[in-house]
């Protein structure tokens, strides 16, 4: 066992003996774990840390930005000077996503509206 593991284990055992871990919320209930079976074991801790801190992979950040740009386009008229610029940025993002091998169907049709609604709820 690594030194850090031993240190953590000792503190956990001490806290259990003192009763500091009794009556915690969710005590006795099963853990709701994410399925990370597709992530190599050596990367799981890092991925979980990034996920919990709100960091997204670049492709997902680009998808999120594309949805935001689509929302902006829906809210302005074609005559608006910003429309052309936002449209170009959205097209560029769509090309980048396609080059990365990702589908951009979420930007077109009813699925885009559902996805936008779902993201705005979170």
């Amino acid at each position: 066992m690594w030194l850090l593991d031993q240190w953590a284990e000792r503190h956990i055992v001490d806290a259990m003996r003192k009763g500091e871990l009794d009556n915690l919320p969710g005590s006795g209930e099963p853990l709701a774990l994410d399925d990370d079976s597709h992530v190599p074991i050596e990367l799981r801790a890092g991925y979980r840390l990034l996920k919990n801190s709100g960091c997204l992979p670049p492709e997902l950040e680009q998808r999120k930005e594309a949805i935001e740009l689509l929302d902006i386009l829906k809210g302005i008229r074609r005559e608006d000077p910003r429309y052309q610029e936002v449209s170009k940025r959205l097209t560029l993002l769509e090309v980048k996503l396609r080059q990365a091998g990702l589908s951009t169907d979420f930007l077109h049709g009813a699925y885009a509206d559902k996805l936008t609604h779902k993201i705005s709820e979170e």
Side-chain angles (χ1 to χ4, degrees):
M1 206 181 256
W2 293 93
L3 183 61
L4 182 60
D5 294 333
Q6 292 173 350
W7 177 83
E9 188 67 28
R10 186 178 70 238
H11 282 284
I12 291 170
V13 170
D14 288 344
M16 288 172 60
R17 279 192 204 126
K18 294 176 186 175
E20 295 173 354
L21 303 179
D22 295 344
N23 301 321
L24 291 174
S27 179
E29 297 176 18
L31 294 175
L33 300 175
D34 295 332
D35 179 22
D36 58 1
S37 59
H38 61 285
V39 178
I41 293 174
E42 64 273 7
L43 297 178
R44 287 181 187 167
Y47 275 40
R48 185 165 307 276
L49 180 68
L50 289 171
K51 179 182 177 191
N52 290 343
S53 66
C55 294
L56 292 175
E59 299 84 18
L60 292 182
E61 286 287 350
Q62 289 173 341
R63 285 176 63 113
K64 184 177 174 183
E65 183 181 353
I67 290 170
E68 290 170 0
L69 291 173
L70 186 62
D71 284 344
I72 292 171
L73 282 178
K74 288 179 180 180
I76 58 178
R77 296 181 180 192
R78 289 184 180 265
E79 299 82 34
D80 190 314
R82 297 176 296 158
Y83 188 90
Q84 195 72 4
E85 177 189 339
V86 173
S87 181
K88 285 180 184 178
R89 286 179 50 203
L90 180 59
T91 303
L92 178 62
L93 271 177
E94 190 171 357
V95 168
K96 286 181 180 180
L97 288 167
R98 284 184 184 164
Q99 286 177 340
L102 300 171
S103 172
T104 57
D105 292 342
F106 66 93
L107 292 172
H108 309 284
Y111 181 72
D113 294 335
K114 289 179 185 177
L115 185 61
T116 302
H117 180 68
K118 174 94 172 148
I119 288 175
S120 65
E121 287 178 352
E122 296 174 358

